[in-house]
Amino acid sequence: MTGSADTPEAGDPAALIEAYFAAGYTDGLPVVPPTEKSIADMLAGARLRGEAILGEIAGRNTLVTAEKAAINAVMAGCRPEYFPVVVAAIRGLCHPDFAYHGPASSTGGSAIVLIVNGPIVGVLGINAGNNLFGQGHRPNATIGRAVRLVMMNAMNTRPGLLDRAALGTPGKYSFCFAENEDGHPWEPLHVTRGFAIHESTITVYASNSLYQVYNQLAATPEPLLLCLADALANLGVPNVKGFNESLVVLAGEHSEVLRGSGWRRRDVQGFLVEHARRHVADLKRAARLPGDVVPADETTWRHVFEAPEDILLVCAGGRAGSWSACLPGWGTKWTRSVTMPIEGPIARGETP
Amino acid sequence: MKIFDPTAAPSPRTVRLAPRPARLEGVRLALVENTKFNSEALLRKLGDRLGRRYGMTVSLVHRKRSPSHEIEEHVLPALQRQADLVISGIGD
């Protein structure tokens, strides 16, 4: 095993945890100190050899090996059967369309949002329900944490250096959840991206904020979607400068309104594209666009989105409660979400 | 017990710098802008000043795919053919 060193406090677990803090290897929380066996078990979880290359960020001279990913996954608290999910996420980060450098290093301080689909969700017990973005579920917490630790430690994305976040977000510690594919109004996210329903995937998406949208009275799509469109087009949202993706997570009651309406996914996306907009005059007064306001600006719309597929619709969260969430994307088409297959028997739903 | 190093240093890559122009007068200038607000305006203003001061001419202006992306490989031969000096910068 490369890159290891004897510790002066051999045999003292607490001292070992402190040694990882002292070395600057942690995200601020204690880590699980790896052992030869736990790293080997982690690699075996994805049937990978340590020297396997998971991805490359050419512009940063960064190569991610399976061994380094496994060490970080152990530190994060992952079980070995989670490792195929971590590996797929890292491959997504290294995909050219994700354009890692921007979302990883920008002052915008994005969380890497990981959305899991397919049979692996049930096998690993990844939460798709109550308290979706919150605490309490080991796979959600540790898979997302492992990916951030890999970024920090193995991809040179350290705060203050090549992570220049002005504020960041708590989602930078960990941000992983599954889509609720049961009772879904439409086909799940990965099927819209060309995968079969029986395949397992992870979608990697960069977002620096999350705000919850409440509407307890809407019984039809229009009023509900007007609330979401308004939230997606506030004056401070990064996307007003151009066109990017946004993620909309519909929890149970709002999903049910849409399912009962007969609206297709495309109908919902089209409505949001049409209504997520501001007058140019508003944007100029708020200095989100340059120039003086001219009379025509008062009636000229500037749309936030360019195309229906720029809005990622995901159904997840608790069945009770009139909530959904908007997660604006980072940048202006400088990064795109990427969906990667999760490989191995566990991804086909086989119990490890 | 051991500490296992979870970090990886950037993999070394040898980069050969192009020869610097011996003099600035009359060189052909390429501008590579990164699509951010004011990037092109800033670079063109710089090109104008260099033109006035040294007689440089802007021979090519390229707009990158985004600030996050490296310059496209297929653009490099044109830069080599058409420019003696390239300025890349950001705006916002």
Side-chain angles (χ1 to χ4, degrees), chain A residues 1 21 28 45 49 52 64 73 87 94 107 133 145 153 167 172 199 212 242 253 259 279-280 297 313 318 325 335 344:
Chain A
M1 194 69 63
F21 276 116
R49 296 171 62 88
V64 185
V87 167
C94 295
T107 56
F133 304 132
R145 187 187 187 199
N153 287 324
L167 294 171
K172 289 183 72 184
E199 291 181 282
Q212 299 192 41
E253 290 184 12
R259 191 158 71 99
H279 280 124
V280 170
D297 293 338
L313 292 177
T335 176

Side-chain angles (χ1 to χ4, degrees), chain A residues 41 47 56 67 70 91 117 120-121 127 133 148 162 223 226-227 237 262 276 285 301 306 309 314 334:
Chain A
D41 288 348
R47 300 184 177 186
E56 177 183 12
E67 181 199 38
R91 288 179 170 144
N117 279 99
I120 201 167
V121 171
N127 183 33
F133 304 132
R148 176 56 65 176
L162 282 177
L226 281 175
C227 280
V237 77
R285 287 193 190 98
W301 292 108
E306 190 173 35
E309 56 270 22
V314 169
W334 301 338

